[in-house]
Amino acid sequence: MSKVELKPAVAEPLVNLVVVDYAGIARGRGVPRRAFDESHGNKTCGWVPANMSLTTFDIIADPNPWGSRGDLRLVPDNRARYACWPSQAATPLDIVMCDITELDGTPWVCCPRNFLKSALADFKAETGCDFIATFEQEFKVLGAEWEAASSFGLSALRRADPFGSEVVAALEQAGIPIEMFVAEYGRDQFELTTPPSEGVAAADRAVVIREVVREIARHKGWRASFVPKAEVAGVGNGVHVHFSFVGPKGEPAAYDANGLGRMSALAASFAAGVLRHLPALIALTAASPVSGLRLKPHNWSSSYTWLGEKDREATLRICPTVTMGGKDPAKQYNLEFRAADATASPHLVLGVLIRAGLEGIRARLPAPPIFSGDPDALAPSERENAGLRRLPDTLEGALECLAADHVVRSWFAAEALETYTGMKRMELKLAEGLSGDALCQRYAGVY
Ligand code: GLU
Ligand code: MG
């Protein structure tokens, strides 16, 4: 028998083929990096249709359209590879975002990334413009046992050191530029902002940011949670989607100095489409039993079908532009959709936002009124005149709004809709025994 000489096997880095499912959870499979790189990223891996029926609670919805049958592939998009090596990690965190396809490579009917791609392609074809976006994401650090620090406080930033610096370094290494790392209003709450990018990249980046933040917090023995509410009485974590349009010659296309709220006709119709379908959109953008705890008036989140100018209570906010130093407002001009959270797939969030806006553009809807004030202080008839409808603040309510909006439902293939709503109904059933802080804590452990 020949003698076998062994050296310690060093860790073989893995490339993680990742998709974000209807539950807003990044799932995937790891392949050895050497093999992946040798294949020039042409390595696909298997996936199972019923995975899309997985709930937050890791139980597959029953019934679901798929059962145990069928096979799919995760197909890496090599332009969407995000690799970094957080200083305390044993191996690099190497993520490549994937599309879900049939075995012959055609897009799978439920693939959220393909849903976004097709919405973007339609937007481009029908308007001649590119859609650009960025996700502004808030999260809470749990378990750090820090001494108290003031909201937005320098002390809140410094006591976390080097957490923020490590997160920024890792994300920049992964190719995601960071604008700001912010100590937010809530206790142990932070926020990360990035410059805008093309639509698919914006949603992919939102995913990677969450994973990098969670991983670096984990190495410190904490948990970073993007849950919409970590406790009922606490400050919510929002996912705010900023978006704008760029014309064929690279010119800003959402801005018109003479438009209402300085919106171009295109932006105005887009906003009107979003407001029209907003109650149904909630079932896809803030889509969990905890989401409604955040969507309350006076929370600076969003609670009505409300277009507002520079008002953080509005669901669709016209953001400020800076003119000092002769800066061009047109290039900065953007709208912010504030009714999303991390329990939703970022690809679906962006996809339905674009689909709703496109409906408004196709119908040439006029600019919606800009509301300023407190909707709760108005009489119901005054709210109605101002076009202010209360957003659903339960998942049941949101699903009813989705069921009632045949336009929103028409954006999805029948199987996709059945998969999505079946999964959400199962989630409701599984969450039934939980309420208040216990519900928030359960979700904080997942998101
Ligand atoms: N935390 C708020 C939310 O739930 C947002 C506060 C802010 O304007 O940054 O959306
Ligand atoms: Mg914020």
Side-chain angles (χ1 to χ4, degrees):
M1 205 171 110
S2 64
K3 226 166 112 191
V4 181
E5 295 273 359
L6 287 179
K7 288 187 194 150
V10 284
E12 167 67 20
L14 298 174
V15 179
N16 300 286
L17 275 56
V18 169
V19 286
V20 178
D21 64 9
Y22 283 170
I25 295 173
R27 306 188 201 257
R29 292 182 173 171
V31 301
R33 186 170 70 182
R34 206 174 312 126
F36 186 83
D37 286 341
E38 275 166 16
S39 79
H40 303 288
N42 270 325
K43 230 176 179 36
T44 67
C45 76
W47 202 244
V48 178
N51 286 0
M52 201 53 100
S53 294
L54 269 166
T55 59
T56 301
F57 300 90
D58 282 337
I59 291 172
I60 295 176
D62 183 22
N64 71 71
W66 310 105
S68 54
R69 292 171 312 280
D71 288 281
L72 302 163
R73 301 303 288 179
L74 297 187
V75 178
D77 175 351
N78 290 297
R79 289 162 309 174
R81 184 160 171 193
Y82 297 92
C84 60
W85 197 334
S87 55
Q88 285 166 299
T91 63
L93 172 60
D94 197 344
I95 293 173
V96 58
M97 298 302 299
C98 295
D99 295 318
I100 312 176
T101 75
E102 302 283 354
L103 302 187
D104 65 2
T106 53
W108 184 46
V109 70
C110 293
C111 174
R113 210 164 174 265
N114 188 62
F115 179 82
L116 171 57
K117 281 185 188 172
S118 89
L120 284 163
D122 286 353
F123 184 83
K124 174 89 182 186
E126 292 177 41
T127 66
C129 293
D130 286 311
F131 183 95
I132 57 168
T134 180
F135 286 64
E136 179 184 314
Q137 308 196 90
E138 294 171 334
F139 61 93
K140 242 178 114 93
V141 171
L142 305 168
E145 285 165 17
W146 283 314
E147 60 189 38
S150 306
S151 301
F152 316 114
L154 174 61
S155 55
L157 283 171
R158 291 305 296 166
R159 87 201 151 149
D161 187 59
F163 175 58
S165 300
E166 287 174 0
V167 166
V168 170
L171 287 169
E172 291 196 332
Q173 191 176 49
I176 300 178
I178 296 300
E179 263 176 0
M180 272 190 296
F181 179 79
V182 177
E184 252 286 359
Y185 177 56
R187 204 185 65 205
D188 303 342
Q189 188 188 34
F190 299 90
E191 172 180 313
L192 276 165
T193 60
T194 56
S197 59
E198 165 279 323
V200 179
D204 289 346
R205 285 175 173 190
V207 174
V208 175
I209 288 170
R210 289 176 199 170
E211 296 309 320
V212 168
V213 166
R214 288 189 190 117
E215 163 138 351
I216 293 178
R218 196 165 56 235
H219 286 306
K220 298 187 185 302
W222 316 329
R223 174 162 179 85
S225 178
F226 293 76
V227 70
K229 278 272 186 170
E231 54 193 341
V232 178
V235 176
N237 292 314
V239 170
H240 304 162
V241 184
H242 293 258
F243 62 93
S244 198
F245 318 138
V246 180
K249 297 189 202 90
E251 74 282 13
Y255 179 82
D256 178 347
N258 300 314
L260 179 75
R262 300 183 297 161
M263 287 181 290
S264 65
L266 194 67
S269 294
F270 190 101
V274 172
L275 292 183
R276 176 175 280 187
H277 297 291
L278 191 50
L281 296 192
I282 299 300
L284 298 142
T285 65
S288 74
V290 269
S291 299
L293 299 173
R294 177 180 155 257
L295 301 179
K296 304 268 189 218
H298 312 133
N299 263 282
W300 291 25
S301 60
S302 43
S303 46
Y304 285 90
T305 52
W306 174 358
L307 172 68
E309 197 166 10
K310 300 177 218 162
D311 189 330
R312 288 174 185 79
E313 280 280 304
T315 302
L316 208 50
R317 181 173 78 116
I318 299 170
C319 295
T321 52
V322 179
T323 47
M324 72 176 92
K327 282 205 177 94
D328 181 3
K331 282 195 187 137
Q332 308 158 47
Y333 190 78
N334 68 89
L335 302 184
E336 179 188 37
F337 178 78
R338 297 171 68 86
D341 68 43
T343 64
S345 144
H347 301 86
L348 273 193
V349 167
L350 210 49
V352 295
L353 189 62
I354 295 165
R355 286 271 168 233
L358 261 179
E359 297 289 348
I361 289 169
R362 285 180 195 146
R364 296 180 193 280
L365 295 182
I370 293 175
F371 176 76
S372 165
D374 179 359
D376 274 3
L378 301 181
S381 62
E382 291 174 310
R383 275 200 295 268
E384 202 180 312
N385 290 340
L388 296 166
R389 286 173 289 157
R390 183 72 175 89
L391 302 183
D393 65 351
T394 62
L395 177 52
E396 292 96 325
L399 289 172
E400 278 166 26
C401 292
L402 177 61
D405 192 328
H406 67 94
V407 175
V408 173
R409 280 187 289 118
S410 75
W411 304 334
F412 295 90
E415 281 162 311
L417 201 61
E418 190 188 337
T419 304
Y420 188 83
T421 53
M423 185 277 283
K424 284 290 158 193
R425 276 194 293 269
M426 182 80 180
E427 182 179 344
L428 272 174
K429 218 187 281 174
L430 293 167
E432 226 164 41
L434 292 167
S435 62
D437 285 344
L439 180 72
C440 295
Q441 277 159 23
R442 182 67 178 83
Y443 274 78
V446 178
Y447 297 97

